[in-house]
Amino acid sequence: MTVTAEPAASAEGAAAAAPGGAILRRQRVRESAARTYARSFPIVPVRANGMTVEGADGRRYLDCLSGAGTLALGHNHPVVLEAIRRTLDSGAPLHLLDLATAEKDDFTSALFASLPPEFAQGAKVHFCGPAGTDAVEAALKLMQTATGRRGALAFTGAYHGMTAGALAVTGNVAVKAPLPGGGETTRLPYPYGYRCPFGVGGERGTELSATYVERLLDDPSGGVLPPAAMILEAVQGEGGVVPAPDGWLREMRRITAERGIPLIVDEVQTGVGRTGAMWAVEHSGIRPDAMVLSKAIGGSLPLAVVVYREDYDGWLPGAHTGTFRGNTLAMAAGAATLRYVAANGLAARAARLGERITARLREAQRRLPVIGDVRGRGLMLGVELVDPSAEPDSCGAHPADPRLAVRVREACLQRGLIVELGGRHDAVLRLLPPLTITDEQTEAVLDRLLDAVESAAVESAAAAGGR
């Protein structure tokens, strides 16, 4: 999610004269300055099906944002619509706080059946408010209650949400700086091979990250009190689509387990088949103490939960509540989505398609030096754009080029492709297509994306030459 709004704001203004322009003008006047995606994509969607979004101007776009990963099955999938219609027609109550319903029972069964068996066995689930940040808050509070401790361990590049506790463990300085407090968070180095925090890269950088964490926690003068939890993403999303090496994740599990530190894995964006496994923790085989889940688990509707080991279930009644934790429609849509993804092998297909997309992007990288790095897992992919004319760092990485990234995003939109930015400098093109993307759509996405990169690179070079 970009926080650099000025270039996109000009596009937003230009679109105000197009069909649907009155809606865009009213949005600019009435909505807050914090809006983000509306600045990047000044369109008014009127219809959507699968991966295709149609704007009020009649143009069609391939959606590689998918509600920031929420739409595992794309827009208005028949299975999701059928679950919603069936629930509406049944007369089931749509909102019942945390009372038991058949829909909640069915969703919980589908959810537990999708989880790694060793984690699901004996686990508890807590239904939170409707967003991932609510579930992060709940998970942190749960572990603080269980351990009697206050602090948390979190990582550079992390994104866990925008409410106070979740923001405290988030790494993005731009969104944290205006706020008065940061929470009791110890920031640790996340293994980012392309821009290694230790300046060495590769396996050595990963080893140093794990060593640093262990030494810091064991140092009696390290300044770190025993924390309530460690929270991490198996693949950082907003941080630039940075996958954690499986061996490093296993080391984090060992380090926390040996020291009695609960491990929370944030699967808000990585879950429900996105990374080529139903849950990203499955790649490494670790068993966390808690998993934070949202986005795709609601089948496109708001839903967030924390699933955790039952021995941490020390809450008193009412210790953590939320008015909208009983969204019946979301539970019905979510159960249908979970079962459809599993029954149709969409996680495995995401892994295969991810490999194909990555291979083509890396092939293009050889002729497009502005592509500094291609990385990701499954259908959660990132393309980091750089300035190849600038001096590289000690690992050979050129400086990020956020201006070029904005040009590419705009060029993609002109070509009918919705792609958002992320990463440390908002210079990473993020690909989050629905898991139902077809082979034909995959090729169309790559054709449009690479054409946009090439065109924007030529424009940037020309602009640089004119200065």
Side-chain angles (χ1 to χ4, degrees):
M1 178 178 60
T2 181
V3 295
T4 308
E6 289 311 311
S10 61
E12 185 183 26
I23 294 174
L24 291 174
R25 285 194 295 273
R26 286 194 292 272
Q27 182 183 46
R28 293 184 67 188
V29 170
R30 298 192 294 201
E31 292 190 24
S32 82
R35 66 192 185 283
T36 55
Y37 300 113
R39 295 178 183 273
S40 304
F41 310 108
I43 59 178
V44 179
V46 293
R47 277 173 292 276
N49 180 58
M51 193 179 177
T52 303
V53 173
E54 183 179 337
D57 59 0
R59 293 195 65 200
R60 293 186 175 185
Y61 305 85
L62 291 176
D63 183 4
C64 264
L65 179 57
S66 301
T70 299
L71 303 170
L73 303 183
H75 295 273
N76 294 320
H77 192 279
V79 165
V80 173
L81 295 182
E82 169 58 26
I84 293 172
R85 290 192 184 105
R86 184 174 63 249
T87 305
L88 289 172
D89 292 343
S90 74
L94 300 183
H95 178 68
L96 275 176
L97 299 170
D98 66 356
L99 298 184
T101 64
E103 292 76 17
K104 179 193 277 190
D105 182 65
D106 186 57
F107 169 80
T108 304
S109 296
L111 175 63
F112 274 56
S114 77
L115 294 168
E118 67 278 6
F119 177 67
Q121 185 176 6
K124 297 282 188 176
V125 61
H126 181 78
F127 289 82
C128 309
T133 190
D134 302 308
V136 169
E137 296 281 355
L140 292 172
K141 185 191 289 188
L142 170 71
M143 297 311 180
Q144 289 168 350
T145 301
T147 63
R149 308 171 196 156
R150 309 305 302 171
L153 304 174
F155 290 88
T156 54
Y159 180 81
H160 298 292
M162 286 289 188
T163 51
L167 193 59
V169 292
T170 289
N172 191 317
V173 174
V175 294
K176 293 158 65 79
L179 304 179
E184 299 175 36
T185 301
T186 299
R187 191 71 51 186
L188 302 170
Y190 193 88
Y192 180 4
Y194 188 64
R195 300 194 185 279
C196 176
F198 301 101
V200 297
E203 293 184 7
R204 182 58 180 151
T206 301
E207 293 169 359
L208 286 173
S209 174
T211 300
Y212 177 90
V213 172
E214 188 163 26
R215 295 282 177 87
L216 180 66
L217 294 177
D218 290 345
D219 186 349
S221 295
V224 180
L225 295 173
M230 172 188 283
I231 184 168
L232 58 80
E233 300 156 274
V235 181
Q236 290 191 339
E238 303 296 337
V241 195
V242 184
D246 292 337
W248 179 84
L249 286 170
R250 288 189 283 269
E251 278 295 277
M252 292 305 102
R253 175 67 286 189
R254 178 188 65 78
I255 289 168
T256 52
E258 289 177 356
R259 290 156 183 80
I261 301 170
L263 177 63
I264 302 168
V265 177
D266 183 337
E267 291 255 18
V268 167
Q269 195 166 99
T270 55
V272 194
R274 171 61 56 188
T275 67
M278 186 60 102
W279 306 101
V281 293
E282 295 180 76
H283 296 292
S284 62
I286 65 169
R287 180 189 177 195
D289 296 299
M291 287 170 58
V292 177
L293 315 176
S294 187
K295 290 192 185 293
I297 66 163
S300 78
L301 298 179
L303 185 62
V305 303
V306 181
V307 185
Y308 55 93
R309 287 174 46 196
E310 62 181 341
D311 44 327
Y312 289 102
D313 195 32
W315 272 340
L316 295 173
H320 192 82
T321 63
T323 300
F324 293 102
R325 64 193 188 275
N327 189 330
T328 306
L329 287 179
M331 292 173 187
T337 297
L338 287 166
R339 292 190 174 110
Y340 187 89
V341 169
N344 290 275
L346 294 189
R349 187 167 186 277
R352 293 193 299 271
L353 275 181
E355 291 174 358
R356 184 194 307 177
I357 294 170
T358 298
R360 185 165 167 195
L361 290 172
R362 286 181 175 158
E363 180 183 354
Q365 185 180 13
R366 291 195 288 269
R367 62 181 176 83
L368 294 171
V370 295
I371 298 179
D373 194 31
V374 176
R375 55 181 179 263
R377 206 155 200 174
L379 288 176
M380 187 173 180
L381 299 164
V383 179
E384 184 158 352
L385 299 178
V386 300
D387 179 0
S389 66
E391 286 295 317
D393 64 15
S394 60
C395 296
H398 292 280
D401 194 339
R403 290 182 180 274
L404 173 61
V406 170
R407 285 180 185 267
V408 172
R409 180 179 62 193
E410 292 174 351
C412 284
L413 197 64
Q414 292 166 6
R415 289 159 175 76
L417 178 63
I418 296 174
V419 175
E420 184 54 306
L421 308 179
R424 307 300 208 272
H425 303 281
D426 283 332
V428 177
L429 304 172
R430 301 189 58 208
L431 301 178
L432 288 166
L435 307 186
T436 52
I437 182 174
T438 66
D439 291 346
E440 182 182 15
Q441 288 171 332
T442 299
E443 293 305 311
V445 165
L446 287 167
D447 289 343
R448 296 179 194 187
L449 177 68
L450 292 174
D451 187 58
V453 171
E454 190 164 5
S455 174
V458 170
E459 286 182 17
S460 291
R467 286 200 292 268

